[in-house]
């Protein structure tokens, strides 16, 4: 038998060996796989234990996968949609995108409560000890704060006034207190309406001691949580606070979304900036400098508004639901990365 014939026979023998493992090989492969996948041991540690090379360990582990001795499954809780989450993150260039299954009974409702629960878990991951957490007004933010059960020690500051000062105890003031209670840190609430009749009144309120103290923390915020509103009744607190004449004026400018009393057109450009002069709220430029801005917003009706705000470059992460995600994944041309925090207006 010449050398080429010997090599052919050797190759056939190796192929048969790879296809069928004897009982000793099966037991060894199972043991190695257990050490690697369940006990977290390195290939070098396994090699030393079994008296073989780390290259053989790698081959055995590969064979264990091929022979179905080991099955690797990527599983997330049923309510999380991993595929949509990853696609949404990639499309908008977000740091984090978490998509939750829309409740069947609330498909048309904005901001289902389960978004707040998932948002609370996400903040528990993102906030580190010593951070300054900023919370803006919004139903989803209030749901998130109510669901919080873990936060490292951090300062919590309110980023906007409240929708109605008479409901402060049930709204964003209470959300700030709740987050501070969970974290054990200081709370800086704002006892003032979000929207004032005129700029002079807003300026006077900003200079009041308690409100000014909260404003001093805005430039120190490291993680912020915000809500997004569509420009329609019941889905935008700012829309609901304005007169019919004012609503018509801003609609004529092309408003598509609202976040923290800032208005945006469909391309993410800020419009109606005069409104901000009447509002108790964090400035857009301050939001842009915050390293992590998490928006919690969902529902099919909010899809266009979420798209507009993501295009503004003010948001780095998003918690939403499948109804909104399906719209966002097909909404016009792909935007620039949200992590490019430049202003679409160029100012």
């Amino acid at each position: 038998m010449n050398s080429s014939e010997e090599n052919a026979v050797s190759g056939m023998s190796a192929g048969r060996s790879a296809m069928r493992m004897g009982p000793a090989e099966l037991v060894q492969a199972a043991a190695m796989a257990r050490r690697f996948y369940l006990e977290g041991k390195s290939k070098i540690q396994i090699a030393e234990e079994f008296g073989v090379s780390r290259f053989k360990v790698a081959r055995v582990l590969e064979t264990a996968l091929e022979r179905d001795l080991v099955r690797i499954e990527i599983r997330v809780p049923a309510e999380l949609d991993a595929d949509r989450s990853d696609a949404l993150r990639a499309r908008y260039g977000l740091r984090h995108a978490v998509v939750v299954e829309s409740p069947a009974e609330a498909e048309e409702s904005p901001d289902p409560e389960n978004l707040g629960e998932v948002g609370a878990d996400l903040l528990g991951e993102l906030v580190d000890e010593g951070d300054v957490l900023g919370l803006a007004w919004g139903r989803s933010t209030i749901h998130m704060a109510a669901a919080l059960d873990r936060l490292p020690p951090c300062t919590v500051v309110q980023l906007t006034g409240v929708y109605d000062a008479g409901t402060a105890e049930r709204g964003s003031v209470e959300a700030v207190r709740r987050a501070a209670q969970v974290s054990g840190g200081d709370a800086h609430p704002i006892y003032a309406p979000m929207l004032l009749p005129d700029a002079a009144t807003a300026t006077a309120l900003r200079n009041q001691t308690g409100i000014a103290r909260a404003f001093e923390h805005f430039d120190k915020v490291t993680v912020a949580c915000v809500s997004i509103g569509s420009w329609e009744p019941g889905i935008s607190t700012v829309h609901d606070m304005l007169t019919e004449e004012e609503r018509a004026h801003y609609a004529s400018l092309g408003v598509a979304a609202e976040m923290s009393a800032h208005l945006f057109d469909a391309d993410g450009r800020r419009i109606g900036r005069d409104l901000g002069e009447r509002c108790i709220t964090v400035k857009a430029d301050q939001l842009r400098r915050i390293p992590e801005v998490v928006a919690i917003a969902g529902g099919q009706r909010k899809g266009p508004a979420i798209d507009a705000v993501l295009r503004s470059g003010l948001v780095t992460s998003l918690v939403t639901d499948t109804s909104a995600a399906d719209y966002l994944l097909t909404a016009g041309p792909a935007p620039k990365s949200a992590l490019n925090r430049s202003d679409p207006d160029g100012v």
Side-chain angles (χ1 to χ4, degrees), residues 56-254:
K56 179 173 181 179
V57 172
R59 287 195 300 271
V60 170
L61 292 175
E62 184 178 347
T63 302
L65 284 171
E66 293 173 350
R67 300 290 295 164
D68 254 4
L69 290 177
V70 175
R71 296 182 182 180
I72 298 176
E73 295 184 6
I74 301 173
R75 301 180 65 186
V76 296
E79 68 271 15
L80 298 183
D81 192 311
D83 290 341
R84 283 185 176 92
S85 297
D86 189 55
L88 200 58
R89 179 202 57 75
R91 174 174 169 79
Y92 286 91
L94 295 164
R95 186 170 290 121
H96 304 284
V98 182
V99 178
V100 182
E101 286 289 341
S102 302
E105 69 279 5
E107 190 169 331
E108 295 300 317
S109 301
D111 304 334
E113 288 193 25
N114 61 340
L115 292 186
E117 297 168 3
V118 174
D121 288 341
L122 180 60
L123 282 189
E125 290 183 62
L126 299 180
V127 177
D128 292 324
E129 183 173 351
D131 275 345
V132 177
L133 172 62
L135 300 182
W137 159 265
R139 282 179 292 266
S140 58
T141 308
I142 293 168
H143 292 155
M144 179 279 300
L148 279 173
D149 59 10
R150 63 186 175 100
L151 272 181
C154 65
T155 298
V156 186
V157 60
Q158 192 169 323
L159 296 179
T160 63
V162 298
Y163 174 40
D164 180 350
T167 63
E169 296 303 313
R170 303 190 302 275
S172 44
V173 169
E174 179 55 32
V176 169
R177 286 177 171 171
R178 167 66 182 166
Q181 179 184 33
V182 173
S183 74
D186 294 332
H188 295 277
I190 294 177
Y191 294 95
M194 181 189 296
L195 180 66
L196 282 303
D198 52 66
T201 305
T203 299
L205 274 178
R206 292 189 199 104
N207 290 329
Q208 288 189 359
T209 303
I211 298 174
R213 188 176 297 119
F215 268 61
E216 289 172 359
H217 284 80
F218 286 0
D219 287 328
K220 304 173 186 175
V221 173
T222 50
V223 180
C225 183
V226 300
S227 297
I228 295 172
S230 301
W231 198 248
E232 55 181 303
I235 311 187
S236 165
T237 53
V238 173
H239 178 282
D240 292 347
M241 286 188 284
L242 294 174
T243 66
E244 286 291 343
E245 183 179 354
E246 290 170 329
R247 293 169 190 164
H249 166 66
Y250 291 117
S252 71
L253 299 179

